[in-house]
């Protein structure tokens, strides 16, 4: 009987652990379970409370396992794009057997030679990016299997991240009793899910991943991830004035602006959007008061994105793709004109995971699937 292609994708985000279990069945991908468990163990992409993270991972995997009826043993793990460095390696693989036909073993040999490169002790290889094959003077991104030639030249993009960061995230998963099938940069995973690589043939794409503590900017061009930058300002900063002035928890503030509040002044009303009790007295908050609290922080965020991206915008044809949990605030759609280039908000359309906060986990599945043709790894979760 054919083994089921069931995988679990894990992201350790800045305020929660996200676990998505899915199955590749024939030509379809189906979501089986989504678990999100709160945690306070990450600050600015750095794990500060390892045990807190481990407990959250164990809770998420147990809940998913109990619901699905089988134990999750292995996962695909997202790594934050911290200190990402790209190197390109050019490798020549000689086809020395009698048939002179390129086989999968030749491709694997070239990749193995490329990934042996270690540029710096502080960096760890996370992703093999774009691969271009040159056979008989013809360049292609498709593996030249069964082509007749004397040598295959492979231009391979290698993406490295901060070694300490990679190890700290992997250690949490392993201490939670999970085997890691593969790791992937979160920015690379999002690009796989949102089909960003295919959009960069003749233009630049700036991926804006808005999370609670941070915003990650990633630059893509010619099918490659070029660079990443983490800005220490996320949607949580928008909510701080609500907490300071009215004592509202971050989660409550997020639900308010996600579901009930406009972010354009001309659409803001005087309607009551929140009622609570404080010291035995009933209090209420109007939409206009919420907007007055958050408008300055939101505008500062747009200004920060514009200023950071301006050098790229000046260089030519550029567009933004926005995603991340912060884009669950749907009113941002009406404010994307505040950006200094064309912008698109990416919302996943996979049934069971139509949530901008799950884009990274969804991308992990497709990133792994594209590698199977080369790696022939039959492990599942």
């Amino acid at each position: 009987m054919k083994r089921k292609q069931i995988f679990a994708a894990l992201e350790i985000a800045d305020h929660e652990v996200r676990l998505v279990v899915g199955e590749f069945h024939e030509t379809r991908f189906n979501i089986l379970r989504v678990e999100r468990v709160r945690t306070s163990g990450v600050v600015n992409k750095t794990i500060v409370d390892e045990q807190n993270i481990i407990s959250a991972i164990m809770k998420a995997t147990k809940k998913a396992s109990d619901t699905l009826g089988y134990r999750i043993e292995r996962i695909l793990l997202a790594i934050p794009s911290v200190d990402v460095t790209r190197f390109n390696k050019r490798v020549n693989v000689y086809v020395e057997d009698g048939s002179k036909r390129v086989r999968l073993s030749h491709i694997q040999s070239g990749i193995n030679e490329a990934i042996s490169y270690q540029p710096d002790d502080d960096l760890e290889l996370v992703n093999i990016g774009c691969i271009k094959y040159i056979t008989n003077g013809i360049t292609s991104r498709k593996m030249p299997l069964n082509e007749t030639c004397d040598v295959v030249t492979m231009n391979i993009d290698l993406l490295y991240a901060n070694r300490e960061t990679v190890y700290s995230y992997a250690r949490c998963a392993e201490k939670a009793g999970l085997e890691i099938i593969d790791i992937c940069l979160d920015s690379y995973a999002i690009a796989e899910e949102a089909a960003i690589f295919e959009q960069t043939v003749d233009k630049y794409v700036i991926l804006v991943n808005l999370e609670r503590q941070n915003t990650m900017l990633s630059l893509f061009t010619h099918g490659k991830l070029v660079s990443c930058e983490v800005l220490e300002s996320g949607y949580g900063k928008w909510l701080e004035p609500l907490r300071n002035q009215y004592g509202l928890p971050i989660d409550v503030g997020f639900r308010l602006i996600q579901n009930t509040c406009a972010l354009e002044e001309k659409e803001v009303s005087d309607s009551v959007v929140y009622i609570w009790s404080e010291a035995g007295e009933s209090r209420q908050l109007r939409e206009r008061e919420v907007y007055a609290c958050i408008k300055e922080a939101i505008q500062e965020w747009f200004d920060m994105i514009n200023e950071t991206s301006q050098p790229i915008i000046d260089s030519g044809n550029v567009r933004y793709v926005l995603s991340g949990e912060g884009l669950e605030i749907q009113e941002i759609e009406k404010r994307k004109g505040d950006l200094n280039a064309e912008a698109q908000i990416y919302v996943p359309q996979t049934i069971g995971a139509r949530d901008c906060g799950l884009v990274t986990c969804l991308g992990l599945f497709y990133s792994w699937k594209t590698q199977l043709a080369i790696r022939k790894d039959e492990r599942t979760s």
Side-chain angles (χ1 to χ4, degrees):
M1 187 173 69
K2 187 177 179 180
R3 191 176 190 183
K4 289 188 175 183
Q5 295 294 300
I6 296 175
F7 297 94
L10 177 70
E11 179 187 13
I12 303 171
D14 53 18
H15 68 288
E16 65 181 5
V17 164
R18 300 164 184 162
L19 179 73
V20 179
V21 183
E23 178 182 16
F24 289 103
H25 181 66
E26 296 179 349
T27 60
R28 294 181 60 85
F29 176 68
N30 303 310
I31 298 296
L32 302 180
R33 189 69 183 173
V34 174
E35 296 290 347
R36 303 171 81 156
V37 178
R38 296 293 181 188
T39 180
S40 57
V42 178
V43 175
N44 290 327
K45 305 293 185 182
T46 301
I47 291 177
V48 296
D49 188 342
E50 187 177 90
Q51 191 55 50
N52 188 289
I53 299 294
I54 294 169
S55 298
I57 295 172
M58 294 176 70
K59 183 177 180 180
T61 53
K62 184 179 187 305
K63 288 174 69 176
S65 297
D66 290 346
T67 301
L68 296 171
Y70 46 77
R71 187 159 57 94
I72 296 171
E73 299 177 343
R74 306 174 191 88
I75 48 100
L76 305 168
L77 178 65
I79 301 295
S81 302
V82 176
D83 298 333
V84 173
T85 304
R86 181 177 69 93
F87 292 91
N88 182 270
K89 294 298 292 180
R90 187 180 178 94
V91 177
N92 292 319
V93 180
Y94 292 92
V95 184
E96 296 177 339
D97 55 15
S99 68
K100 294 293 183 179
R101 291 188 179 275
V102 179
R103 304 184 187 279
L104 181 61
S105 58
H106 296 121
I107 305 299
Q108 292 170 330
S109 173
I111 291 174
N112 289 336
E113 181 179 342
I115 64 176
S116 66
Y117 177 66
Q118 183 58 46
D120 193 299
D121 290 340
D122 294 331
L123 297 176
E124 184 71 22
L125 177 65
V126 182
N127 281 98
I128 299 171
C130 175
I131 304 177
K132 291 185 178 180
Y133 306 91
I134 303 173
T135 55
N136 301 318
I138 299 173
T139 302
S140 173
R141 292 189 181 182
K142 183 179 178 181
M143 285 191 292
L145 297 179
N146 293 318
E147 291 280 344
T148 302
C149 63
D150 294 319
V151 60
V152 179
T153 300
M154 300 170 62
N155 284 323
I156 304 173
D157 264 6
L158 303 175
L159 298 170
Y160 296 78
N162 182 285
R163 171 171 285 189
E164 185 176 341
T165 300
V166 174
Y167 280 24
S168 65
Y169 277 71
R171 188 163 56 243
C172 286
E174 290 174 340
K175 286 188 176 181
L178 298 170
E179 178 186 342
I180 298 172
I181 299 175
D182 194 31
I183 60 176
C184 179
L185 292 172
D186 51 7
S187 55
Y188 194 93
I190 294 171
E192 286 277 17
E193 164 62 21
I196 289 176
F197 292 114
E198 290 79 2
Q199 302 175 36
T200 60
V201 175
D202 58 350
K203 67 178 68 175
Y204 291 98
V205 172
I206 299 174
L207 170 65
V208 181
N209 186 43
L210 174 60
E211 292 289 334
R212 181 170 294 185
Q213 295 181 13
N214 307 96
T215 301
M216 179 183 68
L217 300 184
S218 304
L219 178 63
F220 297 84
T221 186
H222 294 97
K224 301 176 182 179
L225 170 58
V226 178
S227 63
C228 299
E229 183 176 355
V230 178
L231 307 178
E232 294 185 3
S233 178
Y235 73 81
K237 194 169 184 178
W238 306 357
L239 307 175
E240 287 178 2
L242 286 173
R243 182 177 59 186
N244 297 337
Q245 188 167 339
Y246 298 104
L248 298 186
I250 292 291
D251 288 343
V252 172
F254 179 67
R255 289 197 300 272
L256 274 181
I257 65 172
Q258 178 186 6
N259 300 317
T260 62
C261 294
L263 297 184
E264 285 191 299
E265 189 163 6
K266 62 183 179 181
E267 296 185 2
V268 176
S269 71
D270 287 317
S271 303
V272 175
V273 294
Y274 190 64
I275 299 175
W276 76 104
S277 179
E278 187 176 293
E281 294 185 7
S282 178
R283 298 190 62 186
Q284 61 184 28
L285 195 59
R286 298 181 182 277
E287 183 179 3
R288 193 167 300 281
E289 293 172 318
V290 174
Y291 177 74
C293 259
I294 65 176
K295 65 177 183 179
E296 185 175 335
I298 292 178
Q299 189 58 53
E300 287 176 354
W301 182 82
F302 278 104
D303 292 343
M304 176 188 68
I305 300 300
N306 288 338
E307 181 181 350
T308 305
S309 305
Q310 193 60 52
I312 302 299
I313 302 298
D314 292 340
S315 67
N317 191 2
V318 186
R319 65 195 300 264
Y320 291 101
V321 174
L322 285 71
S323 198
E325 186 183 43
L327 273 300
E328 283 298 296
I329 303 170
Q330 296 179 13
E331 286 292 310
I332 295 178
E333 174 78 34
K334 299 177 182 179
R335 293 288 301 269
K336 64 184 184 181
D338 290 6
L339 292 168
N340 54 359
E342 177 191 354
Q344 169 202 351
I345 293 176
Y346 180 76
V347 181
Q349 297 302 305
T350 305
I351 296 173
R354 290 175 175 170
D355 187 310
C356 293
L358 300 177
V359 176
T360 296
C361 286
L362 293 173
L364 290 173
F365 295 110
Y366 294 109
S367 175
W368 177 243
K369 188 72 172 176
T370 57
Q371 297 179 55
L372 288 181
I374 296 176
R375 297 180 63 164
K376 299 297 182 181
D377 191 332
E378 296 184 355
R379 289 178 297 169
T380 63
S381 290

